[in-house]
């Protein structure tokens, strides 16, 4: 089947098998390997991308379902080579740790910050529920999001 | 994990979906896909044809009509969560939507999909049961409406026939002064209910109690309802409800919780739910 998608602002047309998962399309056809395959069972959130601006697990969607959609992956977060403020937060707050779960978290939490510019810690932790970090270091991930929220709000204070 | 090869067809109307379902072959409806696709990847489900109903405009949206909130079946959990009518008239649906899965699941998963799939641990079945909702179905031979209490028939089984599609869920707006709650003890990874309890207390004294996660399918607990309905909700009435709850129910036992533990949780969550609507 033929699909047309826009990924990180670039239009693509490809012939794909209906059973091709979106995550495999992104990684193996477009070679955008920033999106990771973690559990492959719709739990861990490592494969999260934005489909029409909504965080979506790309291991639980067929590429054909994305026909006509706009997709944003981690590669599209820093289009001019300048880090997104949340990426900067992860760097500053040591939120990456091993880094495997990071791209998925970035795709959920950049959307979260758009809708919740001044989140509480509880809001952040609730939003992170669809992501498993096996370094188990959620503390620094929460701090990274708080850093970004503070920056966005143009506030001086940064979580200690 | 790669599913078995299948044919894929995206449809833009309910009629087109019904025609595809009736065209022979093993057609299966795909809405959000968050239950079906994992099952296909495990090859537990191997449909020859996937009929994608995810982009049918008529299946989206929530409206108020004749004293009911009508939730079109393809409405996502997140659209329910952020809907003003739901917050205003069905606060326990709002609370439940917040507890479903995670942000990504709520963005794709739909209420109709959840009801059709009838996972024994899904949240919506308990809510539609407690709210005395009606479920609208469309088939090649016409439309019909079923009470939620008639809909669920077994493990992943419902009254929905193979050539039918859920089009809407009609929820009567509870009378002024009603109180409602949904509480669940969740699996921390999937956030499916190990035990979920939905309670609606109406001003005339009736109390609707529904459980999910406890048995093969969600159910109204007539015994517990009888113990508290129309009574002063004191400690004695609550204890009576706890004693009467989940009696005669074949309680699930799995690697998350034994039957004995689930039974205990059901009674604990019933008490908490009743306290919340006092």
């Amino acid at each position: 089947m033929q699909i047309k998608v826009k990924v990180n602002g670039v239009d693509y047309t490809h012939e794909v098998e209906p059973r091709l998962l979106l995550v495999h399309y992104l990684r193996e056809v477009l070679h955008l390997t920033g999106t990771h395959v973690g559990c492959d069972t719709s739990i861990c959130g490592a494969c999260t991308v934005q489909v029409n601006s909504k965080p979506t697990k790309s291991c639980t969607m067929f590429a054909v379902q994305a026909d006509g959609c706009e997709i944003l992956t981690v590669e599209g977060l820093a289009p001019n080579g300048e880090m997104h403020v949340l990426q900067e937060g992860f760097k500053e707050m040591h939120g990456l740790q091993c880094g495997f779960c990071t791209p998925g978290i970035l795709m959920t939490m950049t959307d979260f910050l758009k809708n919740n510019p001044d989140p509480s810690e509880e809001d952040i932790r609730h939003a992170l529920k669809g992501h498993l970090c096996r370094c188990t270091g959620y503390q620094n991930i929460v701090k990274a999001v708080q850093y970004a929220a503070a920056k966005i709000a143009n506030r001086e204070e940064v979580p200690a | 994990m790669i599913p078995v090869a299948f044919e894929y067809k995206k449809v833009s109307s309910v009629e087109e979906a019904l025609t595809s379902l009736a065209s022979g072959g093993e057609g299966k409806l795909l809405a959000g896909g968050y239950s079906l696709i994992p099952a296909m990847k495990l090859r537990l489900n191997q449909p020859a044809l996937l009929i994608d109903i995810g982009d049918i405009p008529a299946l989206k949206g929530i409206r108020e009509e004749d004293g009911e909130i009508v939730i079109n079946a393809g409405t996502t959990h997140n659209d329910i969560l952020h809907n003003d009518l739901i917050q205003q008239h069905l606060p326990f649906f709002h609370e439940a939507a917040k507890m479903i899965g995670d942000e990504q699941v709520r963005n794709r998963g739909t209420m109709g999909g959840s009801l059709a799939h009838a996972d024994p641990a899904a949240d919506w079945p308990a809510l539609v049961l407690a709210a005395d909702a009606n479920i609208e179905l469309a088939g090649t031979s016409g439309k019909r409406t079923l009470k939620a209490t008639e809909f669920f028939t077994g493990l992943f089984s419902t009254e929905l026939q193979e050539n039918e599609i859920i089009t809407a869920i009609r929820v009567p707006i509870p009378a002024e002064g009603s109180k409602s709650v949904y509480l669940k003890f969740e699996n921390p990874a999937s956030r499916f209910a190990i035990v979920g309890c939905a309670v609606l207390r109406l001003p005339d004294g009736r109390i609707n109690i529904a459980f999910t996660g406890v048995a093969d399918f969600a159910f109204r607990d007539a015994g517990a309802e009888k113990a508290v309905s129309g009574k002063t909700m004191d400690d004695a009435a609550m204890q009576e409800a706890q004693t009467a709850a989940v009696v005669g129910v074949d309680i699930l036992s799995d690697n998350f919780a034994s039957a004995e533990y689930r039974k205990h949780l059901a009674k604990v969550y019933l008490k908490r739910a009743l306290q919340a609507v006092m």
Side-chain angles (χ1 to χ4, degrees):
Chain A
M1 278 192 78
Q2 197 187 66
I3 59 163
K4 286 183 184 188
V5 289
K6 184 177 263 192
V7 182
N8 302 331
V10 182
D11 289 310
Y12 296 95
T13 303
H14 281 106
E15 197 65 37
V16 300
E17 224 191 322
R19 64 172 164 172
L20 181 71
L21 294 165
L22 179 60
V23 69
H24 293 143
Y25 174 73
L26 294 170
R27 289 178 57 87
E28 289 159 25
V29 179
L30 302 187
H31 304 296
L32 294 170
T33 53
T35 302
H36 294 162
V37 182
C39 70
D40 207 0
T41 57
S42 320
I43 297 279
C44 81
C47 65
T48 301
V49 300
Q50 289 180 15
V51 178
N52 290 342
S53 305
K54 291 188 175 170
T56 302
K57 292 172 190 173
S58 61
C59 83
T60 313
M61 184 171 181
F62 295 114
V64 286
Q65 288 176 276
D67 184 29
C69 291
E70 283 192 29
I71 295 162
L72 184 68
T73 72
V74 69
E75 288 92 344
L77 273 189
N80 305 316
E82 196 180 314
M83 279 191 291
H84 185 284
V85 65
L86 184 58
Q87 290 175 308
E88 190 187 309
F90 269 78
K91 176 170 171 266
E92 293 301 323
M93 293 294 136
H94 190 42
L96 282 105
Q97 299 155 119
C98 90
F100 190 88
C101 68
T102 311
I105 294 179
L106 287 170
M107 300 323 291
T108 293
M109 299 313 280
T110 47
D111 173 66
F112 169 78
L113 285 169
K114 245 188 275 170
N115 303 317
N116 304 271
D118 187 21
S120 67
E121 182 177 339
E122 196 191 338
D123 294 337
I124 295 171
R125 289 185 181 272
H126 182 72
L128 280 169
K129 281 200 169 189
H131 294 277
L132 298 184
C133 160
R134 291 298 81 177
C135 301
T136 68
Y138 295 97
Q139 199 57 42
N140 287 351
I141 296 171
V142 171
K143 282 184 189 167
V145 179
Q146 288 171 329
Y147 174 99
K151 272 266 176 146
I152 290 167
N154 234 340
R155 289 183 303 221
E156 290 297 310
E157 84 269 25
V158 166
Chain B
M1 294 181 290
I2 314 290
V4 169
F6 55 85
E7 259 185 81
Y8 171 88
K9 187 174 183 190
K10 186 174 267 187
V11 294
S12 52
S13 70
V14 172
E15 294 68 31
E16 205 186 333
L18 290 173
T19 309
S20 298
L21 270 179
S23 67
E26 283 176 42
K28 193 125 181 89
L29 299 173
L30 174 70
Y34 271 56
S35 296
L36 181 55
I37 295 174
M40 288 173 66
K41 287 165 75 176
L42 294 168
R43 304 202 171 191
L44 296 170
N45 216 315
Q46 307 188 356
L49 168 67
L50 265 196
I51 303 160
D52 188 349
I53 56 170
D55 282 331
I56 298 181
L59 289 182
K60 307 276 180 200
I62 298 168
R63 66 182 189 278
E64 187 178 346
E65 190 179 279
D66 304 330
E68 293 179 320
I69 300 297
V70 183
I71 304 168
N72 287 325
T75 308
T76 64
H77 310 314
N78 251 348
D79 286 342
I80 296 171
L81 174 63
H82 299 297
N83 183 272
D84 291 340
L85 287 171
I86 298 287
Q87 286 193 43
Q88 190 186 340
H89 296 295
L90 300 169
F92 62 153
F93 279 55
H94 172 77
E95 285 305 314
K98 199 174 182 178
M99 291 184 227
I100 294 175
D102 50 52
E103 183 66 12
Q104 302 97 306
V105 170
R106 291 189 293 271
N107 275 337
R108 298 284 306 168
T110 66
M111 183 182 257
S114 167
L115 298 179
H117 187 58
D119 191 298
D123 298 299
W124 288 132
L127 277 292
V128 297
L129 283 166
D132 266 329
N134 290 302
I135 298 170
E136 284 192 348
L137 311 176
T140 32
S141 51
K143 293 178 179 176
R144 62 185 182 128
T145 302
L146 287 178
K147 290 192 168 90
T149 47
E150 305 165 339
F151 186 73
F152 303 100
T153 55
L155 191 70
F156 298 107
S157 302
T158 69
E159 280 292 335
L160 186 70
Q161 300 301 301
E162 281 185 3
N163 59 356
E164 283 183 314
I165 171 170
I166 302 177
T167 51
I169 297 90
R170 304 187 78 100
V171 192
I173 295 175
E176 188 82 33
S178 296
K179 284 188 170 182
S180 63
V181 69
Y182 178 64
L183 297 177
K184 78 166 160 176
F185 183 83
E186 65 179 22
N187 175 323
S190 68
R191 277 167 298 282
F192 268 109
I194 289 172
V195 166
C197 181
V199 172
L200 173 63
R201 185 186 189 190
L202 296 154
D204 64 9
R206 274 182 300 153
I207 297 182
N208 298 342
I209 298 169
F211 282 109
T212 189
V214 176
D216 278 354
F217 57 100
F219 61 94
R220 281 276 288 269
D221 195 321
E225 288 183 1
K226 198 164 165 244
V228 282
S229 280
K231 305 231 176 96
T232 312
M233 194 98 77
D234 51 16
D235 282 353
M238 251 183 244
Q239 200 152 27
E240 220 173 294
Q242 281 187 294
T243 308
V246 300
V247 167
V249 174
D250 195 6
I251 297 175
L252 287 174
S253 188
D254 56 26
N255 52 344
F256 303 127
S258 66
E260 191 188 359
Y261 182 45
R262 264 199 174 77
K263 187 175 173 183
H264 173 73
L265 283 173
K267 291 170 187 281
V268 169
Y269 274 73
L270 172 62
K271 186 173 182 182
R272 290 183 188 175
L274 290 173
Q275 283 169 335
V277 299
M278 269 172 78

